[in-house]
Amino acid sequence: MNSEEIAKLAGVSRSTVSRVVNGYTNVPPETKERVEQIIREYGYIPNTSARNLAGKPSNVIGLFFVEYGVLEENIIHSSPFYSEFLANSIDRLKKQDCQLVVSIINRIEDFDMVETAFINKTMAGCILMGDIVPNSVLEKLGKLGCPTILVNQRSSIDYPYIFLMNTENYKGAYQAVQLLVNHGHKRIAHITGSVEKTSIKERFEGYRDCLLHNQIPVNESYIYYSHIHRAESGYQAVLKMMADNKGNEPTAIFAANDLLAFGAMRGLKELGLKIPQDISIIGYDNAELSQYMSPPLTTVQVSVEKIARMTVDSLLLVIRKKEAIPVYSQLKEFTLMERGSVAPVKTPG
């Protein structure tokens, strides 16, 4: 597929296709949309973009945070992991003489801007993180030849130009729950998110397997799911958890991230429960605020600076074609930060 064939399909001249590809404004909106739609459908990579991939890329990288259906809140501000990843990505790209453009995707339709930015040469590649990116989107980006890295999204992928960057989740969760078991806890609850997402799924599996390996049954009434990984979700989960398990309340909670843990701590205190005397709690991510909670939150630390650096460096290697990178990469390092929110299980009497 070349620009002449695209022009025929769109019913326009070859020069019009060139103006659309190069981002000129003197093209009627309906014509521009028709040409871009055909480009997306046929996976056409303009020669200019091909030259970019061959060694003269744009110096702009796109970072897109995906969270469907949440329009009233800026997820970059509300998520310590996202905001820290953003700050470290900017620093790393500045050292590489590159720039970062950032946007939030709340609807499937918003992915069109990712494709258009690459087609128009305003972006050389992108990083996607947050909610699951549909296969249809990844297939289009792959056909366009847009280098894309998914962060903590999936465990496998099979599209050209699409790569994975993950952190260690299973072992971190396993060790967190094992710490609770070592303190005598058997009624251990889990506040989690959508297990479609690899990082959340692996943390759930670490929780589940640690219980089973210690001959502790997995009690479904102790597992609470939330699509939105916010403090409010942790707060609501705790209130429901304690009401649902009256007389058999959990003695410890493992939250899939620190935000959920923060909300859970507030809920526990409103219910008159003391942490850790009455109930222990562990989070994940080691958000900066975790050490200043009352009591300081025990959590699993993964270096956001390192995952941002690995992500940026890998993407630039692909764009500049200096060398190939593995389709799947993982930062395996983590640290269990033991603080004041965990104590031995409270014995009756």
Side-chain angles (χ1 to χ4, degrees):
M1 180 64 66
N2 56 40
S3 61
E4 186 174 354
E5 291 170 314
I6 293 291
K8 288 180 180 179
L9 288 169
V12 299
S13 67
R14 189 173 179 180
S15 62
T16 298
V17 173
S18 177
R19 289 199 300 275
V20 171
V21 167
N22 287 285
Y24 291 108
T25 57
N26 60 339
V27 180
E30 61 274 16
T31 301
K32 181 175 182 289
E33 175 56 32
R34 186 164 69 250
V35 172
E36 289 180 344
Q37 179 63 32
I38 292 172
I39 286 173
R40 288 194 293 268
E41 288 179 0
Y42 286 85
Y44 168 60
I45 302 179
N47 288 338
T48 49
S49 295
R51 284 198 296 271
N52 281 349
L53 293 174
K56 295 182 179 179
S58 161
N59 70 337
V60 176
I61 300 299
L63 174 56
F64 300 92
F65 297 98
V66 184
E67 188 163 57
Y68 305 123
V70 181
L71 303 176
E72 73 283 357
E73 187 176 12
N74 187 318
I75 62 174
I76 302 173
H77 290 163
S78 61
S79 168
F81 183 88
Y82 287 168
S83 57
E84 190 175 347
F85 186 95
L86 171 59
N88 281 286
S89 297
I90 292 172
D91 289 344
R92 191 64 180 175
L93 283 164
K94 283 177 66 177
K95 293 177 182 177
Q96 299 284 341
D97 195 29
C98 291
Q99 297 177 320
L100 188 71
V101 294
V102 182
S103 189
I104 297 171
I105 292 178
N106 299 122
R107 306 170 304 156
I108 299 297
E109 294 81 6
D110 293 342
F111 284 107
D112 288 347
M113 68 180 171
V114 182
E115 300 166 29
T116 302
F118 181 73
I119 291 169
N120 291 344
K121 301 190 301 176
T122 56
M123 180 185 78
C126 66
I127 302 165
L128 298 172
M129 58 196 306
D131 288 344
I132 295 294
V133 179
N135 286 335
S136 58
V137 171
L138 299 177
E139 185 176 10
K140 286 182 181 179
L141 291 174
K143 285 183 177 178
L144 287 171
C146 179
T148 301
I149 292 189
L150 307 177
V151 179
N152 271 339
Q153 282 243 331
R154 302 172 183 231
S155 57
S156 62
I157 201 76
D158 191 25
Y159 297 107
Y161 294 101
I162 310 297
F163 306 91
L164 303 175
M165 185 66 65
N166 291 343
T167 55
E168 175 57 67
N169 296 290
Y170 178 87
K171 291 181 180 178
Y174 192 106
Q175 286 196 17
V177 178
Q178 187 63 55
L179 177 66
L180 296 171
V181 173
N182 291 346
H183 280 78
H185 295 279
K186 294 184 179 180
R187 302 202 302 269
I188 302 173
H190 184 36
I191 304 175
T192 185
S194 171
V195 292
E196 291 181 359
K197 187 177 175 183
T198 292
S199 59
I200 299 301
K201 177 175 178 287
E202 290 175 346
R203 290 173 196 181
F204 169 77
E205 290 172 345
Y207 159 81
R208 177 200 63 199
D209 290 354
C210 183
L211 293 181
L212 294 177
H213 294 166
N214 284 281
Q215 287 79 51
I216 300 173
V218 177
N219 187 339
E220 291 294 332
S221 70
Y222 289 164
I223 302 173
Y224 285 76
Y225 299 92
S226 171
H227 170 66
I228 309 300
H229 300 176
R230 294 285 188 279
E232 178 65 21
S233 299
Y235 171 76
Q236 295 294 342
V238 155
L239 298 184
K240 190 171 189 317
M241 176 191 305
M242 293 304 177
D244 290 348
N245 292 281
K246 207 72 174 174
N248 193 39
E249 295 90 345
T251 64
I253 298 172
F254 168 54
N257 67 30
D258 288 347
L259 278 179
L260 293 172
F262 296 161
M265 292 175 78
R266 175 191 159 197
L268 293 171
K269 290 176 182 178
E270 284 191 10
L271 292 171
L273 295 170
K274 295 181 180 179
I275 307 170
Q277 294 91 334
D278 297 322
I279 187 167
S280 293
I281 184 166
I282 297 181
Y284 209 106
D285 289 336
N286 193 33
E288 184 177 5
L289 186 59
S290 62
Q291 61 187 309
Y292 300 110
M293 298 297 288
S294 179
L297 178 66
T298 296
T299 183
V300 179
Q301 179 186 46
V302 177
S303 173
V304 183
E305 185 276 330
K306 286 186 179 179
I307 191 68
R309 170 165 48 83
M310 289 173 64
T311 301
V312 167
D313 290 354
S314 297
L315 186 58
L316 291 179
L317 283 176
V318 175
I319 292 170
R320 295 169 175 174
K321 288 211 163 182
K322 290 183 177 179
E323 61 182 81
I325 67 167
V327 171
Y328 179 94
S329 299
Q330 183 182 41
L331 175 63
K332 296 184 178 181
E333 303 167 20
F334 69 91
T335 305
L336 182 58
M337 309 293 292
E338 296 188 44
R339 299 191 179 113
S341 65
V342 173
V345 65
K346 186 177 181 180
T347 55

